[in-house]
Amino acid sequence: MASLAGSVFCFIFVDLLVMGSMAYDVSTANDTRKTYIVLASHSRMPTIFSSPTSWYMSTLASVRREISSAAGADDAQIVTKDQQHSTDIIYTYQHSCRGFAARLTDLEASSLASQPGFLSVMPDKRYELQTTYTPEFMGLMPSAGLWKKTSLGADVIVGFLDTGIWPESSSLDDTGMGPVPKRWKGRCVDGGDFNSSVCNKKLIGARYFLSSFGSAGSLSASEYRSPRDVQGHGTHTASTTAGAHVANASFFGYANGTAKGVAPGARIAVYKVCWASFGGCMGADLLAAIDEAIADGVDIISISLGGSSVPLQEDPLAVGSFGALRSGVFVSCAAGNGGPSPGSILNNAPWILTVAASTVDRNFPATVKLGNGEVYVGQSLYTGDGAIPVQKPLVSLGFCDEASFRTENAEGNIVICQQSSEQEGRSTAAVVAAAGGVGEIMVQQKRLGHSIISSGFLLPSMNVDAMDGAAIQDYASAGENSSERRTSESSYRRPSATISIQGTRFGRQRAPKVAGFSSRGPNPLVRGILKPDIAAPGVTILGAWSSAPPSSDPLDNRKTPFNIISGTSMACPHATGVAALLRAAHPDWSAAAIKSALMTSADILDHSGKPILDDYDGTPATSYGYGAGQINPNAALCPGLVYDIDVQDYVDFLCSLGFTDEELELFTKGERQCSRGYKKLDGGRNLNYPAFVVDMSRSTKGETTTLARVVTNVGPASSLYLAEVEAPKGAMVRVTPSELRFSEEGMKRSFEVKISATMESYAVTREVEARLGLRSTFGSLTWVDAHNSHRVRSPIVINWQ
Ligand SMILES: *[C@@H]1O[C@H](CO)[C@@H](O)[C@H](O)[C@H]1NC(C)=O
Ligand SMILES: *[C@@H]1O[C@H](CO)[C@@H](O)[C@H](O)[C@H]1NC(C)=O
Ligand SMILES: *[C@@H]1O[C@H](CO)[C@@H](O)[C@H](O)[C@H]1NC(C)=O
Ligand SMILES: *[C@@H]1O[C@H](CO)[C@@H](O)[C@H](O)[C@H]1NC(C)=O
Ligand SMILES: *[C@@H]1O[C@H](CO)[C@@H](O)[C@H](O)[C@H]1NC(C)=O
């Protein structure tokens, strides 16, 4: 009896285990296949398998057998057919991380997650796409500084994960370039309207990654199944970083001049991961591209994309870029266009350079003169002839979207439209033009500040900021009920306006400013790590373009080899270009050293010598807008000291965040384990980052936090640095030692920064909170050498709790 009872129990137990591993009932499970990214531990691969791929396929097949048999014999036919899917692994990953991507049902995914050695099974994630003049604006001149020192970034290979490339662009001209570096292992592939023979010494790699995006069945017919850029974005970003000199470039005459990339000597390798269908990109494709780029031998990866803010271990971009870092590859990403909301920042991992967008001192003014004589200045890129020189009636018609537009009121009028955050399909200008309107004044959303301009082409149109827009609107609608109108309709003067468009102007506004749309800190994932890291030009940037129309309006049939667009997508490739120049100048520097040099040399004053402003509201910008400041390429060339970080430091950092060994293994391929001990970095705050961010209680007087850092001398062998502190409001800052003496290059010195809350912290943060909606105050620590020739500045940020 005893043994019988035992076997019954055992049977039930086994049965439960099978059901348990599936998490839910087979009969109600959703059997639609979706892409999953599966990461595995190779140290736990059973020795019977000859290769990781055979392990993946075999495990997947057995999971499917298990599910099918649980579903019952009736489905035997389907079972056999289903098993063929064990070959439908769409990617295997080996350089950035270990694992694969496959089309799985929910049930298969949850069952796979419980298999030994399989660390993580995550549904694929979506990412979105987020210059003649800018190199000079950043201070790059052919005769001096970084350009001279680095032969324009010669031979640095930059990989772009984007919408592909328009190979006919003159920005890809390779005249005068040396042979392709021997270490390059990548290639160009053939595909729809893309012959690999178009590659040259400038465009040295071109591939595309479509398995996840394409399997969702949403690729449009007009899309090229090839590296060809149907959209324009990828061509724009690549030319911004590494475009060749192109004389007489402009957008229909706007921003005319010689177009050139920040590092015109760098090589371009294109990894197309974003598809025009709806401007989307999938994580599994992105990870495959990073994997390939590492194997190909790129030096830098530029990613003008962002998804959502998810924990590092669930973010394919964070996992993949850690793999890139392990191979010494520098990764530069867009900060996101979700500003000015606090915490809207994307791409938050400390091993990524996260780039915010700033304005340049070039703009495209247009003026509206109202019937009452008042004049407002906005911006316009209208590419048609002339403007509206004589007063025309002015009406305000809401959002001007196709669905709600009151067409009968537009005929012959200048129409005021409100910018919507969800404008799709036809542009408002097209709607207004179709209804007989003669001009358009677009009132921008408040969050954009002055930072975006119109791209009108069907009728003279200009953008004004929210405040001017409100004034213009008041004038337009006040007329309706004016006393003159009520007393005498005949003498009533209807609201009216003229529009004049001035073209390209320089230096009329302070610049740079932090763009209103640029995503802001604090870092929503890792409190102790400052994000964004740095700001670079990202507003109204001229870059090479595809044959796509320059606007997204379906009626737009203009063609232009150059387009002017804005976004942190445009800021990222500027920073990528400077990183390429630094890589050429200092081939022995780590990715973290390059990043430190960029950050500690950044500017916090604008070109007029005053604090950089926030274009959202015109107040002084903070480190949550521009990070360490505006990128300054020539200063970054000789930073004096760097805050270096190696792979082990990042491992200590991840362990300090509380990562388990399994979570760590997603990043490190199992070479290291948190459980074997690690250097405690105080929740990550003591990672050797070139910035200091602490949380402090605003009600506890005298609370003290101590941070530790190490700097490495990359300047003159014998040098002495003194600490110069600007304490954030509400705190005292002490640096020990306050003097760092170096006697050779490469020498390291450590120091501590002690931050103590002072009495007035509560009052201070109340004031700051009221003004910025943010409970943070900002200061800095600058190491200054004896000759004041090196100033190594790090922001200090206190988040008051
Ligand atoms: C299964 O999942 C897909 C994709 O998530 C969804 O579109 C579909 O409606 C789901 N089907 C059922 C029966 O829940
Ligand atoms: C690509 O171009 C080369 C040289 O111009 C030509 O020989 C080859 O046939 C082309 N390949 C395709 C697929 O068109
Ligand atoms: C520059 O381009 C414009 C427009 O494309 C053209 O009219 C002009 O002749 C060009 N100038 C030079 C110097 O090439
Ligand atoms: C741009 O065009 C304007 C008007 O044609 C001209 O005056 C100006 O010199 C040009 N600027 C450059 C940089 O070529
Ligand atoms: C004008 O008067 C109408 C009717 O009294 C009212 O609905 C409308 O809001 C008024 N407009 C303004 C701008 O005051």
Side-chain angles (χ1 to χ4, degrees), residues 114 155 210 235 241 258 282 313 333 395 426 519 656 707 774:
S114 67
D155 287 358
L210 172 64
T235 305
T241 299
T258 298
M282 296 306 296
Q313 63 272 36
C333 293
V395 294
R426 293 170 64 187
S519 286
S656 297
L707 301 172
L774 191 73

Side-chain angles (χ1 to χ4, degrees), residues 321-460:
S321 57
F322 194 92
L325 169 96
R326 276 199 326 261
S327 304
V329 176
F330 185 92
V331 180
S332 168
C333 293
N337 297 342
S341 319
S344 48
I345 200 91
L346 301 174
N347 300 324
N348 291 301
W351 48 86
I352 290 173
L353 181 75
T354 309
V355 190
S358 56
T359 63
V360 295
D361 67 350
R362 171 179 66 197
N363 62 96
F364 311 98
T367 50
V368 49
K369 185 172 181 191
L370 305 180
N372 64 8
E374 279 174 41
V375 174
Y376 296 90
V377 180
Q379 300 279 312
S380 179
L381 283 176
Y382 174 57
T383 57
D385 285 334
I388 304 176
V390 297
Q391 295 275 329
K392 293 282 182 195
L394 185 64
V395 294
S396 179
L397 297 178
F399 286 116
C400 305
D401 56 319
E402 262 179 297
S404 69
F405 193 66
R406 288 171 284 148
T407 42
E408 68 280 9
N409 297 333
E411 180 79 45
N413 295 338
I414 296 174
V415 178
I416 304 170
C417 299
Q418 295 293 324
Q419 189 172 50
S420 149
S421 52
E422 287 150 31
Q423 183 69 33
E424 276 176 7
R426 293 170 64 187
S427 66
T428 56
V431 174
V432 170
V438 297
E440 182 200 26
I441 295 171
M442 167 67 79
V443 180
Q444 293 198 156
Q445 294 173 294
K446 184 162 190 293
R447 77 176 191 99
L448 299 176
H450 291 273
S451 305
I452 290 225
I453 46 157
S454 70
S455 62
F457 61 99
L458 290 163
L459 43 68

